[in-house]
């Protein structure tokens, strides 16, 4: 696990090609294309590389334009849109094979004090009382499609503990609400900047699946094509990704071949540390359904 974490940190250490131009390595995440969270985390890291005075990212908004090839590196071009007295804006374009595959806009702020309030953390069992998502019972694993089983059982640098059991076999409808504890598999010495980039990396993992739950289907059934269209994040308070975070997700709507997901990250002490939103493409692979 230490090697997996070290490799993830290495992915987020971009090579500077020019003043505002960076290159990041890609990895096979077990999906046909580059994992969206990799592009999100690397793009945020590229934007951070042009911030010089300790400002912190407080929000980002991104669009996924084309499928990326995990066999190739990705080039990130950063536009220094504005540096004000308190806020800085950056726009990042990710490029592969001469084409734009991703856009990100991020805003950075000089830390300051102000009003404080938050929605309370949901009451859920702690991670120690819940099963590891990647350790599927063999009776379930053997009945899944090969590509789904391999994807779920793949070793990753993060741990996942599901609050609500995932129905991987029967296809029963469920409420559009899902909660999972997540943390990095190893303790790290890293800046607040790196922890925010790592949270951007993991926030995309399985996020859109919550929009499929009311319809008795999911990526695990192998009958859906799903792809992120956009992704937004707001960072509220400091946190560490090598400590347990509760990802509380819901989906208020699905329509037009798209699903909307919303999420909140809570630290174990109940602090709301980040919020997320994503819309994605959801289509049946079997066009007759």
């Amino acid at each position: 696990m230490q090697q997996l974490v070290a490799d993830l940190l290495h992915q987020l250490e971009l090579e500077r090609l020019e003043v505002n131009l960076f290159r990041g390595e890609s990895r096979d995440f077990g999906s046909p294309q580059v994992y969206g969270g990799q592009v999100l985390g690397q793009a945020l890291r590229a934007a951070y590389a042009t911030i010089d005075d300790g400002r912190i990212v407080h929000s980002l908004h991104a669009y996924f334009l084309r499928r990326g090839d995990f066999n190739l590196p990705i080039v990130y071009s950063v536009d220094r849109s504005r540096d004000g007295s308190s806020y800085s804006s950056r726009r990042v374009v990710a490029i592969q094979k001469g084409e734009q595959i991703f856009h990100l806009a991020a805003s950075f702020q000089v830390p300051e004090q102000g009003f404080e309030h938050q929605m309370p953390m949901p009451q859920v069992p702690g991670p120690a009382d819940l099963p590891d998502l990647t350790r599927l019972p063999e009776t379930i694993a053997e009945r899944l499609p090969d590509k789904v089983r391999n994807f779920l059982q793949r070793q990753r640098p993060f741990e996942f503990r599901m609050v609500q059991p995932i129905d991987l076999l029967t296809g029963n409808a469920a409420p559009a609400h899902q909660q999972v504890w997540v943390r990095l598999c190893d303790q790290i010495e890293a800046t607040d900047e790196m922890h925010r980039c790592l949270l951007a990396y993991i926030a995309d993992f399985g996020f859109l699946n919550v929009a499929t739950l009311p319809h008795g289907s999911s990526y695990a059934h192998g009958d859906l094509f799903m792809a992120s269209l956009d992704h937004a994040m707001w960072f509220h308070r400091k946190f560490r990704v090598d400590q347990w975070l509760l990802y509380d997700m819901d989906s208020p709507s699905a329509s037009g071949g798209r699903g909307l997901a919303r999420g909140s990250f809570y630290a174990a002490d109940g602090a709301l540390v980040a919020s997320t939103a994503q819309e994605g493409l959801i289509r049946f692979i079997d066009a007759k359904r």
Side-chain angles (χ1 to χ4, degrees), residues 63-64 204 207-209 211-212 225-231 251 253-262 277-283:
Y63 280 92
F64 297 90
D204 187 48
F207 191 16
L208 188 58
N209 194 59
T212 71
F225 174 77
M226 301 170 64
S228 303
L229 295 173
D230 63 5
H231 193 104
S251 175
S253 177
S255 63
R258 305 182 316 277
L260 177 65
R262 303 178 300 189
Q278 181 179 100
E279 189 174 49
L281 176 68
I282 304 175
R283 287 177 178 159

Side-chain angles (χ1 to χ4, degrees), residues 196-213:
R196 293 181 186 228
C197 291
L198 285 165
L199 192 67
Y201 176 95
I202 201 56
D204 187 48
F205 185 74
F207 191 16
L208 188 58
N209 194 59
V210 69
T212 71
L213 297 179

